[in-house]
Every structure is written in C-alpha cells, then in structure tokens.
Amino acid sequence: MKGDSPREAAFEVLRAVSADDAYANLAMPAALRRHELRGRDAALATELAYGTLRGQGTYDSVVAGCVTRPLEDLDPPLLDALRLGAHQLLATRVPAHAAVSTSVDLVRRHVNEGAARMANAVLRRIGERDLDGWAAELAPSRDANLTGYLSFRHAHPAWIVRALNDALGGDEAELEAALRADNEPAGVTLAARPGRATVEELAGAGARPTRWSPYGAELESGSPARLAAVREGRAGVQDEGSQLVALALATAPVQPPDERWLDLCAGPGGKAALLAGLLTQRGGRLLAVEQHEHRARLIAQALAGDPGEHEVLVGDATQPSWPEADFDRVLLDAPCTGLGALRRRPESRWRRRPADVAGLRRLQSDLLRSALWSVRPGGLVAYVTCSPHLAETVTVVDDVLRGRDDVERVDARPYLPGVPDLGDGPDVQLWPHRHGTDAMYLALLRRTE
Ligand SMILES: C[S@@+](CC[C@H](N)C(=O)[O-])C[C@H]1O[C@@H](n2cnc3c(N)ncnc32)[C@H](O)[C@@H]1O
C-alpha cells in the first residue's frame, strides 16, 4: 500500500526503538530507503516517528487513561500503533478519521483483527479531547505541581523538567519556552571546514549562512549528501552551538607558542575537524584522543582531507600517555547526558535515567583534571558539554577547581561575538529557545602556573 508507506516507515522506526533499543536517527534513514520515501512523504514519516517518540511519555499516560489493562500487558506493536495514533490526534493537523483509520490498519496488519477493534475504540476515546483537555483530566494542576503539569504537557520526564528549571534559574515562562523548543524539530546545520570549504560555497548550494558562526550554514531541506562539499568531507553536519564553543577556544588569546592543541574526547570528530582546519592555517598540530576505536575511525575520516598535521590516538583520556603541560589549548567535549540535544534525539529523554548523571559527573571531573594536567601554564582549556544540567556543567568545574590556585576562569562571552543573551558569565550556556542552537555549555579555564 504505497499511500500508507510514510506511516509504515514511521511505525517500523517506533518498533525498532522500542523492541531493539535502536536510535531513531539511525533507524529513520534506513526505513526511508526501504520504503523509497523522498520529499514530502519522507518529511511526513520523519515527523510522525520523531513526534511520537518525543511525546511518548504523555501519549502513554493518555493511552493508559483509555484502557483497562496496564500498558505492559498490551501487545508491544499495538502500543506503538496507539502512540502513533495519539500523536496524530493530539499534536498534528491530520484529520481525526485518518489518524484513527490508518493506525487501526497498522494494527490489523501487524497484530490481528481483535487488536484492531480495540485500537479503534481506544483512539476514538483519545480523539474526544485535545492535549489540553487530557492535561486537565490526567496531569496534576499547574498551580499545585508545576513540574508534574509541565512534564505531562510538554512530554519531558519530571527529573529533566527540574534540571532545566535549575539551569534557567526558576523562570517559569522561560522554562516552558525551553520545553517547547525541545519538541521542535531541529534544522540541519553544516560547518565548512576551514581551508577546505567556505560558507559561500555552501550558500551557493542553497544553504543559508548561520547567524554567528562564520563557518556555519543551515540547510533548508534535502539531504546534506546532495552537497559536494559534504560528500567530499570538506564540510560536515554540525550544530551552530558546537561550532561556537570550539571557535571560542580557538580565538581566546594565548601567549605564543600556540601550536599544539589537544582534543581529549574527540569522536566522531566534528569539533576536531573544525579545530584542525584552523590549526592548519596557523601551522600547528592537533592530537585527537578517543576511547572507542570505531569512533576514532570516524575522527580519522573527518580529518582525512585536512592537509595539516594531526594524529588520532585511541585511549582513555583520564590516563594520559603524553607529557604533562604539553599543549597550548585543550578541548574537553565531555561525554554527557545529551540533555542539550533532546530535539535531535527524540527517544533519548525517555531512555536517560537520573542515575546516569552521577557516573557521568565523576567521569567529567576526572577528564577535566586530565585536561588541566595536559595544558601548559598560560594555556587554555575549554570544558564543554551538550547538556545544561548543572551537575554536569558548573558543578563539575567548581568541584575540580576547589582548592586549586593554578587555574582561573576566563569570561567566555567575548569569544562568542554577537551572540546575545549569554547571561552574567564567565561561563556560557546556549539554549535552543534563546539561540536556536543545542544547549551547549562552555567554561574557559586558563592554567596560571
Ligand atoms: C560528546 S562526545 C565528543 C563529540 C566530539 N567532540 C565532536 O564534536 O564530534 C564525547 C566522546 O568522548 C568519548 N569518551 C568517553 N570517555 C572517554 C575517555 N575516558 N577517554 C577518551 N574518550 C572518551 C566518547 O566515546 C565520545 O566519542
């Protein structure tokens, strides 16, 4: 049934995510290829799958409000089809009758006739209210329990609502804007690798220059691979926030020499490629370290066409195999919860657990100590996460700097020229709702002795 291919493709992605722990951003392109979907059909399939995954916690609460059995007792493909139907009914302009009948068809094809009848009854009930109506019925009241209400209304686990609230300092309107922004699909941003491609070239191929990064361009539509610069590795897909934090490290002043840079957690190599391009223009050398071999191979690919000097090292960055104080600039783009990129990873908010934070925080602190050990006096360390969770950002920096008098915090804001709303400094926190970037955090640190 060619006409239903977008929904089949979306349903397959939901099944892969819930049954096989797949990542939607890998499963989706494969499903689009299998169903030969392009253009508007591909966009519809992607919106249906990603939107359903983002809203899953809320849709599950609504489905649970309409069935008598616990959700765990439902056949998993039936539950996925109900989620897909609920998304169309509550968050899209798909007409209700089409949302119901196409979801019931999926259940008929993938489960059985009895389950299809049940899906029909459940989806008709769901369609009796809009999302605000279901919030009034099922969520705590906004006044009594703001976190619980926002968690339901904007489909974020409560612990993430609290983490964003803490990072935003308790401004209710801003918190709601941040939650909404996580539910907006993010565009595809490209970075022209310095010395190998230019924004003009990307713009000539239809991309729109980004607001602040001199290397960035946004792709309005279509696959990045249609651009020669991307196919040839002279440009890569990279959020503007990622470009800005790497550029801040590269442009903040350091007394010469300034020729040895270290990227401590470099896989898959987006920031390393940007730094390598800049360093090649300055005649320096980059060492990119990565613990996982397959990700180290991706770094090597990203650096392959750069004519400068660079080396990729597979190893644990908490156990340096290089001499102390050997580098002029060090990037630590630390492994983190990724709460700053929820709009790009639709299922991740429901997979992450609050308990993940403590383990990551220990690793982030060990890595930051290692970064500070690696930089020479006078040199700079950029501590970066794509999470705004305070336990992964300022808390890590504060913990590591406590009791040390050989490191100073540098005001990072001047090194993101033109970027508004950067707060009181010295650290920088970017936000999707303020800047249209991922929520990247940057602390710039200078070793003084
Ligand atoms: C946030 S990602 C880095 C993204 C990268 N900077 C980019 O722009 O493409 C963190 C990376 O650190 C790696 N990693 C985690 N623990 C590590 C360790 N102890 N030593 C080295 N690399 C590590 C992960 O495998 C992951 O590739």
Side-chain angles (χ1 to χ4, degrees):
M1 289 183 67
K2 186 78 186 158
D4 266 351
S5 294
R7 286 182 177 80
E8 277 291 344
F11 180 71
E12 276 174 29
V13 171
L14 300 185
R15 295 301 303 130
V17 169
S18 56
D20 309 328
D21 268 349
Y23 295 105
N25 59 352
L26 301 181
M28 193 77 239
L32 295 180
R33 274 196 302 277
R34 249 190 325 277
H35 290 272
E36 297 175 9
L37 295 175
R38 277 180 280 279
R40 288 171 61 169
D41 283 347
L44 174 63
T46 305
E47 196 293 319
L48 292 178
Y50 282 24
T52 303
L53 290 166
R54 287 193 194 98
Q56 185 168 303
T58 296
Y59 300 146
D60 281 3
S61 302
V62 174
V63 171
C66 297
V67 296
T68 46
R69 284 186 261 159
L71 290 193
E72 305 79 76
D73 292 355
L74 297 183
D75 208 349
L78 167 62
L79 179 56
D80 276 329
L82 290 173
R83 289 166 170 161
L84 183 59
H87 173 62
Q88 293 173 76
L89 287 165
L90 301 177
T92 73
R93 282 192 228 131
V94 174
H97 64 86
V100 174
S101 68
T102 54
S103 306
V104 170
D105 282 348
L106 282 171
V107 178
R108 188 172 292 120
R109 277 201 296 282
H110 293 276
V111 191
N112 58 40
E113 187 57 40
R117 277 197 298 278
M118 177 181 171
N120 188 42
V122 171
L123 290 169
R124 280 174 191 282
R125 275 203 66 191
I126 293 176
E128 285 167 10
R129 293 182 173 79
D130 63 9
L131 194 53
D132 284 322
W134 282 112
E137 174 92 7
L138 298 172
S141 87
R142 186 171 184 130
D143 292 340
N145 177 352
L146 180 66
T147 301
Y149 171 80
L150 293 175
S151 166
F152 180 97
R153 185 61 186 78
H154 299 295
H156 283 65
W159 72 274
I160 296 181
V161 177
R162 278 191 290 273
L164 297 182
N165 187 45
D166 291 346
L168 286 164
D171 181 321
E172 190 176 320
E174 222 196 329
L175 171 61
E176 197 154 15
L179 296 168
R180 275 187 213 285
D182 278 348
N183 293 338
E184 292 294 324
V188 176
T189 307
L190 306 173
R193 293 179 169 155
R196 298 164 65 194
T198 60
V199 167
E200 289 69 35
E201 177 184 354
L202 303 180
R208 184 164 37 90
T210 48
R211 280 178 288 179
W212 305 299
S213 166
Y215 299 95
E218 259 173 60
L219 210 52
E220 301 275 318
S221 61
S223 155
R226 75 179 167 75
L227 276 74
V230 173
R231 281 199 306 280
E232 292 161 11
R234 296 182 292 107
V237 173
Q238 188 175 45
D239 175 64
E240 189 182 12
S242 288
Q243 300 179 36
L244 292 171
V245 294
L247 291 170
L249 171 66
T251 51
V254 155
Q255 289 293 323
D258 184 15
E259 54 207 24
R260 291 187 48 73
W261 294 5
L262 170 65
D263 184 347
L264 212 48
C265 283
K271 294 185 191 67
L274 193 57
L275 294 179
L278 296 170
L279 200 47
T280 298
Q281 293 173 334
R282 299 184 198 185
R285 180 179 172 80
L286 177 76
L287 173 63
V289 181
E290 166 59 47
Q291 187 164 33
H292 296 107
E293 197 133 7
H294 67 284
R295 291 174 75 84
R297 276 196 295 276
L298 296 175
I299 307 170
Q301 263 171 33
L303 298 180
D306 188 278
E309 279 192 71
H310 31 73
E311 184 188 347
V312 180
L313 187 73
V314 180
D316 178 355
T318 64
Q319 310 286 325
S321 57
W322 48 89
E324 186 178 1
D326 206 29
F327 294 92
D328 304 304
R329 299 180 196 255
V330 178
L331 172 65
L332 168 54
D333 185 14
C336 70
T337 53
L339 297 190
L342 294 182
R343 52 193 197 139
R344 296 189 192 278
R345 300 176 199 152
E347 73 284 353
S348 76
R349 68 188 72 176
W350 309 111
R351 279 206 182 136
R352 278 284 174 203
R353 296 281 166 256
D356 298 343
V357 177
L360 283 164
R361 179 176 160 179
R362 270 193 300 279
L363 176 59
Q364 290 154 352
S365 302
D366 289 345
L367 286 164
L368 182 52
R369 279 187 207 96
S370 182
L372 290 167
W373 182 88
S374 304
V375 78
R376 65 156 170 92
L380 283 172
V381 169
Y383 175 73
V384 168
T385 61
C386 86
S387 167
H389 196 310
L390 294 178
E392 303 183 83
T393 60
V394 274
T395 309
V396 168
V397 179
D398 288 349
D399 282 354
V400 169
L401 296 198
R402 191 166 300 120
R404 286 182 75 145
D405 56 8
D406 60 340
V407 181
E408 68 182 19
R409 280 177 126 112
V410 176
D411 187 351
R413 294 170 299 167
Y415 308 110
L416 286 83
V419 181
D421 292 328
L422 293 178
D424 299 333
D427 306 347
V428 159
Q429 178 63 65
L430 299 171
W431 287 99
H433 67 283
R434 281 191 205 168
H435 305 102
T437 64
D438 292 346
M440 304 296 300
Y441 167 82
L442 164 68
L444 264 187
L445 307 170
R446 191 184 303 280
R447 192 159 149 194
T448 51
E449 51 186 77

